[in-house]
Amino acid sequence: MGEAAENSGKPGWRRVLASLGNRKTGFMALFGFASALPYALLLGTLYAWLSDAQVDLETMGVFSLIGLAYSFKFLWSPLLDRINLPLIRRLGRRKQWIVTAQFLLGGILLVLSTLNPGGSIGWFSLLAGIGAFASATQDVVVDAWRVDVADEVATIDMLSTVYQLGYRSAVLVGGALALFLAEGLGWPTVYAIMGCLMLVVGAFSLFAPEGPQSVASIAADHAALAELREAGELEPRVRAIALAIVGVLWSWALITVGIFMVRSLGSDPEARPDSTAFVAQQGPLIVIATVVIPALVAAWLVRQKQHGRRVLAQPAPAVSRADNVLDHGYRALILPLTDIVGRLGWATILVVGLVLSYRITDTIWGTFAYPFYLGELAYSKEEVAVASKFFGVGALMFGVALGGVLFTYIGRMAVMTLGALTAALTNLLYADLATGGAVMSAGARAIGFTWLVEQLGGDDRLAKLMFAIAGENVAGGIAGAALVAYLSSITSKKYSAVQYALLSSLTFLVGTLGRGALGKMIETRGYHDVFLLTTGIGFVAVVLCLAEWARIRRQGKAAGLDEAALANA
């Protein structure tokens, strides 16, 4: 406590250095790396290997469906909060899952390195699906670990920034470096190296610290379960009905997604379901079933308890196995929802709206980036690789680091608003490229960037592309770091796995569902009008950021916080 208090009084740059030197921060960077490496290898680089093995495009398109594991990871997140693994539970509540996922991923990558995708596509599909599930599971627990271990030294803002830096580093390793190594060593060797790297990461993760919640989790769980039976708590019958409603809805969603993935990966090409139709038709239904209705149920439960309705007049201890099952299920699935709705109240609507809209400008058009670069602008693959994969990732990491520094000086919500604003405005850079890039060319020349690119073998045409990508990626880095920190800040440590998984899954939902309509608009109106539209859409998030910032300041003033604390909100 003394160290934390001493650190909180240091100037901004000293707090940054203290956080960077913290043991938790180092492992946060490692976990960020471990989260991104399998994602890059299974949902990006693997397609290059499949292309070299002359796997047909339709089959490769089906492989992309394993990404649904990341979109719907919140569906099994309650299990990760409550279930301990045999033999290794002593590692800790979070670490047991993190280490298991990392070793499993390392093993899967090693097995993939021994297979020929051209002749073993069935095994490839199965292993890639299991790998995506393990990787998404690791993401859920790593996000919860970040919330659990954050303190005044290793702050949630700094941990979020370092996580993003580790994540982006792995994108380079699993993407650009893997492609480079494959030219000389071949794909099996590359995946064997990456598998060994994941095993090494898993070995280091054994020494990661655990949060205070994990150390005392058994006693805390018993106390929380016993509290559900105290006077003033909701009646067991009411809790059972709520659990049944939410449990059925989440189970339906999980089974629906699971059946779709199995049919898609295991069927003949003629029998495969339409993935576009699934996302467009079932996607909204899954959101309604897993988010909207459970949120309404949680709000009703909170209201009943606040008004003393349908509550126990006296303690009613659990007396049967059914009672214990009810209490455990309610704590795993319902309490995370009632906790966040109870804390936020009507502001839950504002928060969900902000989460849904914050990264829409990136997610909705990201699928069309390469068609824009290669088709519309007629850049070569080598030029796009240099501008996007190498220079672009560097600019993104700079943006993440800049966001981390800004957290210390202007506060979380100021960075959040800045990220939303710049992410919206940088769409205008691409609108300029779509009409010839005169402004980008002039700007690059004015600051000497074009001269630098020319000295390295490029030209004015490449310089203006790199200039636009740099602007967008710096803004994206700031926005990405801000969003991770914001989501972590509104997540309760008691229910971090479920709450963070649910909120982060919503982040890319609207963009994913809107891609079909955007594709049609590109065909009919062209890229320029699309970028103007996405700029306008981005300002929705700016307005919601300002509203959330004002809400947090009002809440802080009501709690008696001084201006310095309010400035860092």
Side-chain angles (χ1 to χ4, degrees):
M1 181 67 182
E3 180 186 0
E6 179 184 349
N7 184 70
S8 64
K10 293 179 180 178
W13 64 271
R14 289 187 177 179
R15 293 203 301 273
V16 172
L17 291 178
S19 296
L20 289 176
N22 188 273
R23 179 166 170 251
K24 297 174 183 177
T25 308
F27 278 102
M28 189 76 267
L30 182 72
F31 290 164
F33 184 92
S35 291
L37 187 61
Y39 185 90
L41 292 171
L42 295 174
L43 288 175
T45 308
L46 189 64
Y47 298 113
W49 187 0
L50 295 175
S51 297
D52 288 347
Q54 297 183 341
V55 174
D56 64 274
L57 291 176
E58 186 174 2
T59 299
M60 283 195 282
V62 172
F63 258 82
S64 67
L65 298 177
I66 66 176
L68 289 174
Y70 296 90
S71 299
F72 297 108
K73 59 189 178 183
F74 65 89
L75 292 174
W76 63 88
S77 58
L79 301 177
L80 306 179
D81 241 351
R82 301 269 70 87
I83 294 178
N84 289 311
L85 295 172
L87 303 179
I88 61 171
R89 61 185 299 172
R90 291 190 177 184
L91 287 177
R93 181 185 182 193
R94 307 301 184 195
K95 205 161 63 175
Q96 61 179 328
W97 287 102
I98 292 174
V99 172
T100 299
Q102 290 171 352
F103 278 117
L104 178 58
L105 284 163
I108 287 173
L109 293 174
L110 285 174
V111 174
L112 283 176
S113 72
T114 67
L115 299 176
N116 175 15
S120 307
I121 195 66
W123 282 106
F124 246 71
S125 300
L126 177 62
L127 288 170
I130 295 173
F133 180 83
S135 180
T137 298
Q138 179 190 210
D139 288 354
V140 171
V141 188
V142 165
D143 291 333
W145 182 89
R146 179 176 60 250
V147 175
D148 287 352
V149 303
D151 55 28
E152 291 87 348
V153 178
T155 64
I156 198 68
D157 294 336
M158 185 55 63
L159 289 175
S160 301
T161 301
V162 172
Y163 170 83
Q164 286 283 310
L165 291 174
Y167 193 97
R168 300 304 170 183
S169 299
V171 170
L172 276 176
V173 173
L177 180 60
L179 289 170
F180 175 77
L181 292 176
E183 287 293 325
L185 301 176
W187 287 112
T189 302
V190 169
Y191 271 74
I193 292 172
M194 297 301 170
C196 291
L197 184 56
M198 281 300 301
L199 294 177
V200 171
V201 170
F204 274 103
S205 298
L206 290 169
F207 302 98
E210 272 284 338
Q213 172 103 4
S214 299
V215 175
S217 60
I218 296 178
D221 284 347
H222 284 309
L225 290 172
E227 186 178 341
L228 291 174
R229 297 282 172 169
E230 296 294 330
E233 294 294 325
L234 290 168
E235 297 173 352
R237 179 179 60 85
V238 174
R239 293 193 289 112
I241 294 172
L243 179 60
I245 293 172
V246 177
V248 167
L249 292 173
W250 279 44
S251 298
W252 168 81
L254 185 59
I255 292 171
T256 300
V257 173
I259 291 175
F260 174 72
M261 291 184 66
V262 170
R263 289 181 60 202
S264 297
L265 293 173
S267 301
D268 293 331
E270 295 77 13
R272 288 170 181 163
D274 187 338
S275 59
T276 302
F278 176 83
V279 172
Q281 298 170 11
Q282 298 297 321
L285 293 178
I286 290 174
V287 173
I288 292 172
T290 58
V291 179
V292 178
I293 295 178
L296 293 174
V297 170
W300 184 82
L301 292 173
V302 170
R303 186 173 181 83
Q304 296 303 303
K305 185 175 178 181
Q306 287 176 343
H307 290 81
R309 301 170 187 159
R310 296 176 175 84
V311 297
L312 293 169
Q314 58 186 9
V319 295
S320 66
R321 185 175 181 83
D323 289 342
N324 289 324
V325 170
L326 168 63
D327 292 347
H328 280 282
Y330 189 85
R331 174 166 168 73
L333 192 56
I334 306 298
L335 283 186
L337 303 177
T338 58
D339 171 79
I340 197 166
V341 171
R343 284 187 291 110
L344 297 176
W346 285 104
T348 304
I349 299 173
L350 172 60
V351 170
V352 171
L354 178 56
V355 171
L356 286 172
S357 64
Y358 192 74
R359 297 308 303 270
I360 189 173
T361 55
D362 300 328
T363 58
I364 198 171
W365 94 273
T367 302
F368 307 103
Y370 285 114
F372 177 62
Y373 299 146
L374 299 173
E376 181 75 7
L377 303 181
Y379 283 95
S380 68
K381 292 179 181 178
E382 291 77 11
E383 289 172 327
V384 172
V386 170
S388 180
K389 291 297 183 184
F390 288 97
F391 181 75
V393 172
L396 188 65
M397 293 177 68
F398 173 77
V400 171
L402 178 60
V405 173
L406 290 175
F407 282 136
T408 305
Y409 288 96
I410 65 176
R412 182 185 303 124
M413 285 310 302
V415 178
M416 186 86 172
T417 306
L418 176 65
L421 179 62
T422 54
L425 292 176
T426 50
N427 280 266
L428 297 177
L429 306 183
Y430 289 101
D432 178 64
L433 285 181
T435 56
V439 176
M440 291 299 95
S441 180
R445 286 192 174 279
I447 66 171
F449 184 73
T450 300
W451 176 85
L452 178 61
V453 171
E454 290 173 344
Q455 301 308 305
L456 296 174
D459 55 18
D460 175 76
R461 188 167 168 276
L462 179 60
K464 65 183 180 183
L465 176 65
M466 295 173 67
F467 192 65
I469 288 176
E472 187 212 19
N473 284 11
V474 169
I478 295 173
L483 182 63
V484 171
Y486 172 72
L487 294 182
S488 300
S489 71
I490 61 175
T491 300
S492 168
K493 288 192 174 186
K494 292 191 295 183
Y495 313 109
S496 49
V498 179
Q499 290 180 357
Y500 193 96
L502 182 59
L503 291 170
S504 62
S505 295
L506 295 176
T507 304
F508 301 101
L509 178 65
V510 176
T512 300
L513 296 177
R515 285 172 186 166
L518 195 74
K520 291 181 180 179
M521 183 178 177
I522 290 173
E523 291 179 352
T524 57
R525 300 289 298 273
Y527 281 97
H528 180 265
D529 287 355
V530 165
F531 289 126
L532 295 182
L533 174 65
T534 53
T535 299
I537 292 174
F539 276 91
V540 173
V542 176
V543 172
L544 293 176
C545 277
L546 292 172
E548 173 67 352
W549 194 358
R551 182 191 73 83
I552 291 175
R553 286 185 64 86
R554 286 197 304 271
Q555 189 179 57
K557 287 182 178 179
L561 297 181
D562 58 25
E563 283 300 319
L566 290 172
N568 286 320

